[in-house]
Amino acid sequence: TEPGISVRWGFTPSIQINSALNPDFSQVEADVAQLEINTRFALYYTEKRPFFLEGADIFKTQLNAVYTRTITDPSWGIKLSGKEKSHAFGVLVSQDMITNLLLPTNQLSQLFTLDQSAVSSILRHRIDIGRQSTIGFLGTIRHGHSYSNSVLGCDGQFQLTASDSIGFQFLLSQTSYPKEIYEGNNQPDESFNSGALSMTYHHESRNWKLWTSYENLGRGFRADLGFIPRVDLRSTNVGIQRVLWGDSGGWYRKLLFTAEGSYSKNQEGKLTDRSIFLSAAVNGPLQSLLSLSLAARTEFFRVNYFDQFYFQLDSSIRPNRSFAFSLAGKIGDGIDYIGIRSAKILKIAPNVGFFIGRSFQASLEHSLERLYGKGGCLYVANLSQIRLVNHLTARLFIRTIVQYLDLDLTVRPFFNFLGP
């Protein structure tokens, strides 16, 4: 027997306090499975635990400086969140029984677990300026027996006109790693600090969208209560989209033509990524979407530059309330990150949904991924997911989720260099 208790109290309609002692998250829905094969950086999984979801929007910023899934096995936690007039605030304090860390570099990210508990604290304050502008402050501290990480910064979002907005975020971090982390993991020694800067501009009118962003993340920047899998980076992104509107009875509702480019360097000025992305999409009748994309990319990994040229497909349709279908795909050049060599990649991902009244929903998803090298097929991965939900009453439902992964390694053994 392992008892626990959770308490939620609303001081006012807009201010709540949540507390938990030895919380049980066994009722939380399973994560949507993702293929973690041949990837450089850690994958993002959405938070689904009720304790952390309360007031989660308050903690969101341009840089993912708060990612509560880093708190893996909390023994206790308390959170106060809410909004009073123009002030929104959130405070979260929790003790985790283990310390999971995401160790980032420019080339890849690695997962590491410290066998020690840590106390995590997050403080967020956001102030509304007018109707659509905000300025905010964020502080996080994670402290263990021989480890600590703290982040402090400010951010803002300003609506300049009805169509134009700008945003920024500036963060400073101070980190102290024990010897077991920095030895053999390409991490800075002992105590170090660094900063991160993010700036964005966005224009959106009926017929045009334009955007640009800039990020500068120092080599020693760490947000261990967030999700930032890549540092030592200076990145610029620029995009433009033209929107053409059709008639309600025509063959298209909306046509979209997009061009986007990005350029990234490390802090020493060495080119690490460069890409150009072109796409054309059409929204048609029956809630349909068809998008075709072409991408040209240059990527530096380990000691080599790899040029990639690939096509992507995204499509979906929902002809009625009872049925929906989508299909995504990718074909072209890829990279074998284990063998550090060029490869060819094929991805296909169909998704079928059935909706019977308001009480029953079913979805079937599948992902196929093949990677080919000069020696033949390097691997074939098939990931299938089935999700069934039957609402018996307004308060009672049955949910079933089945996930199955089949991985065929036909040439060589495969291992996950990203860590456990």
Side-chain angles (χ1 to χ4, degrees):
T1 302
E2 191 175 350
I5 186 171
S6 297
V7 177
R8 180 182 183 276
W9 180 23
F11 291 104
T12 70
S14 59
I15 300 177
Q16 298 84 34
I17 186 170
N18 292 263
S19 60
L21 180 64
N22 192 28
D24 174 28
F25 297 122
S26 61
Q27 82 282 6
V28 176
E29 179 179 322
D31 287 319
V32 175
Q34 303 182 65
L35 286 174
E36 298 182 271
I37 303 168
N38 198 44
T39 56
R40 290 174 60 185
F41 301 102
L43 301 180
Y44 183 91
Y45 287 87
T46 304
E47 177 64 86
K48 295 184 177 182
R49 296 170 294 180
F51 175 81
F52 295 105
L53 286 176
E54 187 74 40
D57 289 344
I58 297 173
F59 298 97
K60 289 183 178 180
T61 57
Q62 285 184 203
L63 296 169
N64 285 327
V66 175
Y67 180 56
T68 52
R69 287 193 63 137
T70 57
I71 304 173
T72 308
D73 185 21
S75 59
W76 59 267
I78 185 168
K79 179 168 66 173
L80 175 68
S81 61
K83 186 173 183 179
E84 188 68 24
K85 296 182 180 179
S86 61
H87 296 265
F89 55 89
V91 180
L92 189 154
V93 182
S94 176
Q95 183 176 34
D96 207 356
M97 298 307 295
I98 61 174
T99 304
N100 282 336
L101 298 172
L102 179 61
L103 305 180
T105 66
N106 179 275
Q107 291 291 287
L108 53 86
S109 61
Q110 181 178 353
L111 300 176
F112 192 92
T113 299
L114 280 174
D115 188 18
Q116 60 177 263
S117 64
V119 175
S120 301
S121 304
I122 304 172
L123 175 63
R124 172 67 169 161
H125 183 206
R126 191 184 67 212
I127 305 171
D128 294 338
I129 303 174
R131 293 184 176 182
Q132 294 180 294
S133 299
T134 63
I135 188 168
F137 305 92
L138 176 69
T140 71
I141 299 176
R142 200 179 192 194
H143 181 75
H145 174 67
S146 57
Y147 149 83
S148 67
N149 171 254
S150 58
V151 177
L152 182 65
C154 61
D155 59 275
Q157 188 73 30
F158 303 99
Q159 193 72 34
L160 304 179
T161 69
S163 303
D164 300 277
S165 64
I166 60 173
F168 80 93
Q169 185 170 16
F170 177 68
L171 297 171
L172 291 173
S173 72
Q174 172 71 46
T175 307
S176 178
Y177 281 159
K179 187 176 182 180
E180 59 188 294
I181 293 181
Y182 62 77
E183 280 196 344
N185 291 306
N186 193 27
Q187 297 296 309
D189 296 349
E190 299 181 349
S191 298
F192 55 95
N193 55 71
S194 189
L197 173 66
S198 173
M199 297 187 295
T200 62
Y201 165 77
H202 192 268
H203 169 87
E204 182 172 356
S205 62
R206 177 175 170 79
N207 299 319
W208 290 96
K209 290 183 180 179
L210 298 95
W211 61 91
T212 182
S213 64
Y214 173 77
E215 287 188 357
N216 189 330
L217 291 87
R219 183 176 182 270
F221 178 77
R222 300 292 183 272
D224 289 348
L225 279 172
F227 184 82
I228 299 181
R230 191 176 191 184
V231 294
D232 187 16
L233 186 70
R234 289 182 287 170
S235 178
T236 302
N237 176 271
V238 178
I240 183 171
Q241 184 178 83
R242 178 71 165 102
V243 183
L244 300 176
W245 299 88
D247 299 327
S248 58
W251 65 272
Y252 74 93
R253 303 290 187 265
K254 186 165 58 173
L255 293 174
L256 303 98
F257 300 94
T258 306
E260 187 173 9
S262 64
Y263 186 89
S264 301
K265 300 184 293 183
N266 63 15
Q267 294 297 334
E268 296 178 351
K270 184 181 182 67
L271 172 68
T272 58
D273 304 90
R274 180 176 56 204
S275 65
I276 298 176
F277 175 84
L278 302 173
S279 75
V282 55
N283 285 107
L286 304 179
Q287 301 183 55
S288 61
L289 168 68
L290 176 62
S291 174
L292 298 174
S293 306
L294 173 65
R297 179 178 175 84
T298 298
E299 183 176 334
F300 178 80
F301 181 66
R302 296 294 193 183
V303 295
N304 297 323
Y305 282 98
F306 297 90
D307 294 323
Q308 302 168 68
F309 188 79
Y310 55 87
F311 295 91
Q312 290 186 160
L313 164 72
D314 290 286
S315 61
S316 63
I317 188 170
R318 186 167 184 175
N320 52 54
R321 296 181 178 180
S322 302
F323 176 77
F325 175 78
S326 66
L327 176 66
K330 176 181 178 181
I331 185 170
D333 297 323
I335 302 175
D336 173 16
Y337 293 113
I338 301 299
I340 315 178
R341 55 184 171 175
S342 298
K344 300 293 183 180
I345 192 167
L346 170 66
K347 292 183 178 181
I348 301 175
N351 185 351
V352 181
F354 299 95
F355 310 88
I356 302 176
R358 297 183 177 181
S359 60
F360 182 79
Q361 301 175 13
S363 64
L364 294 83
E365 305 175 27
H366 185 78
S367 296
L368 164 67
E369 184 174 318
R370 292 174 178 261
L371 190 72
Y372 299 89
K374 290 184 178 180
C377 185
L378 302 179
Y379 67 79
V380 179
N382 285 277
L383 175 63
S384 301
Q385 302 181 87
I386 300 174
R387 186 176 186 271
L388 307 174
V389 181
N390 187 14
H391 291 270
L392 303 178
T393 69
R395 299 184 179 183
L396 177 65
F397 68 89
I398 299 174
R399 179 171 57 210
T400 303
I401 297 174
V402 179
Q403 299 173 343
Y404 178 75
L405 171 66
D406 176 60
L407 180 60
D408 183 9
L409 308 174
T410 59
V411 176
R412 52 173 168 72
F414 188 88
F415 62 94
N416 184 3
F417 68 90
L418 296 181

